[in-house]
Amino acid sequence: MRVLSVNKFVSALCALGLGAVLATSVQAATDNDKIIERIKPVGSVCVVGDDSCGGAAAASTGSAGRSGEDVYTTSCAACHGTGVLDAPKFGTSDWTDRSAKGIETLLTHAIDGINAMPPRGTCASCSDDELKSAIEHMIDSAK
Ligand code: HEC
């Protein structure tokens, strides 16, 4: 009888203890969530074509297209406007010379980058078509 009551007492203690541990770990989990929420990065990078974060949408609206002039002004003019690092300069015969390579070659070089020309002219969100329009806009400027 006495043994039984001690057992009861012990199991009651265990139940209490276990309850406390459970309560603590649940509490810890919510605390962790809060901490993760607080320290998560302000922004995240979404690569074109990654549809888990809207990248596909960006790519599809991208191909619908900004004009060559828009893309040029936003992404290419910084270098091509003044000929920084010997970039073929807008509105000059530089582009007549380059266009001799053919638009497909120029496009490939614009996509992959060439020498000091960075891949996609740093416009990660530009579709191939938009890059092509921007190149045509620069080629036209030479005429
Ligand atoms: C950081 C400066 C910079 C930016 C920004 C830039 N370019 Fe260039 N680009 C260059 C330089 C430098 C060259 C010359 C590379 C060479 O032939 O050595 C060049 C060359 C080119 C060529 C000629 C490639 C060839 O085969 O002769 C094309 C086409 C081109 N750029 C397209 C673009 C387009 C389109 C953009 C905007 C989306 C852009 N660039 C943005 C620096 C830049």
Side-chain angles (χ1 to χ4, degrees):
M1 188 63 184
R2 187 178 157 78
V3 170
L4 197 65
S5 71
V6 167
N7 267 346
K8 267 187 183 161
F9 179 69
V10 168
S11 62
L13 254 186
C14 281
L16 261 181
L18 191 62
V21 167
L22 276 179
T24 318
S25 59
V26 167
Q27 181 64 40
T30 30
D31 280 355
N32 276 345
D33 289 347
K34 282 184 198 150
I35 291 167
I36 289 165
E37 183 64 24
R38 254 186 281 132
I39 64 172
K40 75 176 181 189
V42 175
S44 57
V45 174
C46 181
V47 178
V48 174
D50 178 357
D51 54 9
S52 70
C53 57
S60 58
T61 54
S63 60
R66 285 165 280 188
S67 74
E69 186 176 359
D70 278 357
V71 173
Y72 165 76
T73 309
T74 317
S75 308
C76 322
C79 294
H80 289 277
T82 53
V84 173
L85 304 165
D86 282 335
K89 193 173 166 183
F90 190 82
T92 70
S93 60
D94 288 358
W95 280 107
T96 331
D97 299 345
R98 298 278 175 165
S99 66
K101 294 182 181 181
I103 184 71
E104 292 306 326
T105 304
L106 293 177
L107 180 59
T108 307
H109 290 165
I111 292 168
D112 297 341
I114 179 171
N115 301 323
M117 162 72 197
R120 309 196 90 84
T122 69
C123 180
S125 69
C126 286
S127 67
D128 293 357
D129 281 349
E130 286 172 329
L131 291 174
K132 191 173 178 180
S133 305
I135 297 167
E136 285 165 349
H137 178 66
M138 292 193 277
I139 290 174
D140 287 347
S141 77
K143 288 174 185 162

